[in-house]
Amino acid sequence: MTEDLRPAVRLARRRFLTLTGAATAVAFGTNLPGTALGSGGSGGLTANPFTLGVASGDPLPDAVVIWTRLAPKPYEPLGGAPYKEVGVDWQVATDEHFRRVVRSGRATARPEFAHSVHVDVRDLQPGRHYWYRFRVDGYLSPTGRTRTAPAPGQQGGLLTLGVSSCQSWPDGYYTAQRHLASEDVDAVVFLGDYIYEYGISAAGGLRNVADPVPSQFRTEADTLDRYRLQYALYKSDPDLQAAHQNAPWITTWDDHEVQDNYAGTISKSNAPVEDFLVRRANAYRAYWEHLPLRGPAPQGPNYLLYRRFTFGRLAELSVLDTRQYRSDQAAGDGWKVDSEARRDPGRVLAGRQQTQWFLNGLNQSHTTWNILANQVIMSRMDLDPTASNLYNMDAWDGYGAEQKTVLDGLALNRHRNPVVLTGDVHAGYAMDMKRDFADPASQTYGVELVPTSFSSGGNGVPVSANGQKFLDGNPHLKFVDERRGYSVLRFDEQQLQVDCKVVPYIDKPGAPISTVRSFVVEAGNPGLEVR
């Protein structure tokens, strides 16, 4: 925990002692599901509990997390499961027919964690596929496929990542996830906004569903039960389930998992800090419950999400959290002209501890490629191509001093081939990272890739008026496409190939996928080249 958060957290804990209600009590609980034999025996489930699918994530050379949640009636409290512990059997095999089961056991699905199951499966072989499944009360889950990371120090090879972000359910169908499920990727990197906290209309927005969305979804999520409902709706989508079943996911959050544009302990509505931290605790708990993350679970309103993954000697992936520790946005948020507040060295986005962790790791890395999974645009982006300059106060541009620290650190590690992956903007961008972003002749030290959103933003267009403004005002920006989709990144020792993929519409299902642009980045020669 950073020093400046401690007084606010203590305040929230004092306030918690005066609060009542099951949702608040559960949000601050500390019991952690494990892989020991469950003491609850039969769960007494009378309907299929695997309505939210299965998933895996956070692959290591010898381990991977497998996940499910028991929810026979996902839109009811606790997913329609009884308020008691339930033993869940799990298996991991080297073949999809489970002829060779190599790991198995029983996990305990606990009601205080919404009967979610997180199994950290250990002692696996590096760099290979596995298949996994769960069973409870005679019900068998779908089969998921996962993959471990290569062995430490392994030379060469190929790393293939699917990358996207921002999947607002009412903004349209998850057609992109269905196509991603057919890609042969080693892992999916998801860059934030897994859910949106907003209420949902009966028609389900652009989905215009035949069966009305239940009335409990009309209000914005702020309690633990309401966040759980939002995840249940999103995760009930068969295309999202298919994408999770195909490969392990490495996830981070942005703002909408809690509240739009929140900053650390500051809410969008400037609610009292102690009240907002209760909401943040609820949101963080629900996030952990619904994604394949290792323990420990969030402790109240705090969760250590930033972490690092290594893929042999080929690539290292550092995952950032740019919401939990940030200072409030400068100048009231939005797009604003330059100011002293924007450049104030006391204001932070990632926070000093996390920034130092990332830069230390980068300085000590021995891999060919160094990838940063990041939520908001890190490079300079000017919305106004005239001399006035307009910067996004919610992105790294709004935190100029810390932005300079990180960009200088990347520039000093040009030989380590830095690649920044970014979400948030509901568009596909590709840009060179420059010593001087205003000078096209300035040294390039890395690339920033912004795969477009899975669904947020609706159908989209190839290039909007604002997209053209970005192209006109930012010479380092090489590509803009504002339709929905994802990118596939293929790393080897010589180069990175980037394929930007989009679908033409998402307001109805069945859209085809196409590659609209491909780039190559040569190892040792930073910069985007059109393939």
Side-chain angles (χ1 to χ4, degrees), residues 231-287:
Y231 280 99
L233 178 66
Y234 278 56
K235 294 187 76 70
S236 66
D237 187 282
D239 294 339
L240 178 57
Q241 290 188 17
H244 273 296
Q245 284 176 233
N246 181 58
W249 283 41
I250 298 170
T251 66
T252 187
W253 54 37
D254 194 16
D255 52 343
H256 286 287
E257 287 88 352
V258 181
Q259 185 189 45
D260 179 37
N261 278 22
Y262 86 94
T265 63
I266 309 299
S267 73
K268 185 176 183 177
S269 58
N270 290 313
V273 168
E274 60 269 30
D275 290 341
F276 182 66
L277 285 177
V278 171
R279 176 174 181 168
R280 203 174 87 169
N282 292 329
Y284 286 8
R285 168 65 71 88
Y287 180 85

Side-chain angles (χ1 to χ4, degrees), residues 83-267:
Y83 195 87
K84 67 176 183 177
E85 294 182 353
V86 180
V88 181
D89 295 321
W90 57 269
Q91 293 179 316
V92 174
T94 57
D95 66 290
E96 60 185 315
H97 302 293
F98 290 83
R99 295 190 181 100
R100 187 166 182 265
V101 174
V102 294
R103 295 288 177 270
S104 62
R106 172 170 283 197
T108 303
R110 293 192 166 102
E112 61 265 35
F113 285 90
H115 295 99
S116 61
V117 177
H118 300 71
V119 182
D120 190 1
V121 185
R122 294 281 172 169
D123 298 321
L124 300 175
Q125 296 298 308
R128 68 159 300 152
H129 283 109
Y130 289 93
W131 285 261
Y132 61 95
R133 63 186 180 185
F134 301 88
R135 185 192 298 271
V136 61
D137 283 357
Y139 295 99
L140 188 65
S141 77
T143 295
R145 185 182 77 154
T146 191
R147 185 176 177 86
T148 51
Q154 178 180 312
Q155 299 280 358
L158 175 69
L159 173 64
T160 303
L161 300 176
V163 190
S164 191
S165 66
C166 303
Q167 54 183 25
S168 172
W169 187 90
D171 278 9
Y173 287 92
Y174 288 166
T175 310
Q177 280 96 323
R178 176 60 62 176
H179 289 293
L180 179 60
S182 66
E183 301 272 6
D184 188 17
V185 298
D186 298 310
V188 173
V189 180
F190 187 84
L191 300 168
D193 292 344
Y194 193 94
I195 64 163
Y196 283 66
E197 78 279 22
Y198 304 134
I200 299 172
S201 69
L206 289 179
R207 292 193 177 217
N208 196 25
V209 294
D211 296 325
V213 176
S215 60
Q216 57 263 42
F217 288 93
R218 301 293 178 271
T219 59
E220 183 171 311
D222 59 357
T223 67
L224 181 56
D225 284 343
R226 184 63 186 86
Y227 281 115
R228 285 170 170 169
L229 280 173
Q230 205 81 333
Y231 280 99
L233 178 66
Y234 278 56
K235 294 187 76 70
S236 66
D237 187 282
D239 294 339
L240 178 57
Q241 290 188 17
H244 273 296
Q245 284 176 233
N246 181 58
W249 283 41
I250 298 170
T251 66
T252 187
W253 54 37
D254 194 16
D255 52 343
H256 286 287
E257 287 88 352
V258 181
Q259 185 189 45
D260 179 37
N261 278 22
Y262 86 94
T265 63
I266 309 299
S267 73

Side-chain angles (χ1 to χ4, degrees), residues 345-530:
R347 298 177 59 258
V348 298
L349 183 72
R352 293 177 182 86
Q353 180 175 316
Q354 183 178 189
T355 298
Q356 198 60 54
W357 165 84
F358 165 65
L359 292 176
N360 287 346
L362 181 61
N363 293 335
Q364 298 165 15
S365 172
H366 298 291
T367 60
T368 301
W369 300 94
N370 285 275
I371 312 163
L372 180 60
N374 160 71
Q375 292 79 15
V376 292
I377 289 181
M378 182 173 286
S379 301
R380 194 208 73 172
M381 287 288 281
D382 180 7
L383 181 60
D384 188 346
T386 71
S388 62
N389 296 335
L390 288 176
Y391 298 113
N392 183 358
M393 296 298 106
D394 192 53
W396 283 88
D397 273 336
Y399 300 79
E402 191 172 76
Q403 179 188 42
K404 185 178 186 303
T405 298
V406 172
L407 294 181
D408 286 350
L410 292 174
L412 290 173
N413 284 278
R414 180 178 186 272
H415 60 291
R416 291 188 166 94
N417 301 302
V419 176
V420 177
L421 306 179
T422 298
D424 182 53
V425 295
H426 310 166
Y429 297 160
M431 63 192 88
D432 290 336
M433 303 187 81
K434 293 281 191 178
R435 279 289 194 175
D436 180 355
F437 285 102
D439 180 6
S442 178
Q443 183 190 54
T444 299
Y445 56 82
V447 297
E448 182 166 7
L449 305 170
V450 187
T452 189
S453 63
F454 273 138
S455 64
S456 301
N459 290 337
V461 295
V463 182
S464 68
N466 269 354
Q468 192 59 52
K469 279 187 180 181
F470 284 133
L471 285 168
D472 293 340
N474 299 276
H476 57 286
L477 180 62
K478 307 300 183 184
F479 167 72
V480 172
D481 194 291
E482 297 169 78
R483 291 168 288 189
R484 311 285 70 82
Y486 55 89
S487 291
V488 175
L489 280 55
R490 295 180 175 87
F491 298 84
D492 62 27
E493 290 289 349
Q494 287 73 46
Q495 67 177 30
L496 158 63
Q497 178 176 324
V498 182
D499 294 325
C500 307
K501 303 192 174 192
V502 303
V503 293
Y505 54 84
I506 60 168
D507 57 350
K508 54 183 180 293
I513 192 85
S514 61
T515 301
V516 291
R517 189 70 58 87
S518 293
F519 295 96
V520 167
V521 182
E522 295 179 357
N525 184 27
L528 294 159
E529 298 292 337
V530 178

Side-chain angles (χ1 to χ4, degrees), residues 309-321:
F309 301 91
T310 302
F311 299 87
R313 292 294 293 272
L314 183 61
E316 192 162 82
L317 171 67
S318 298
V319 181
L320 289 192
D321 169 6

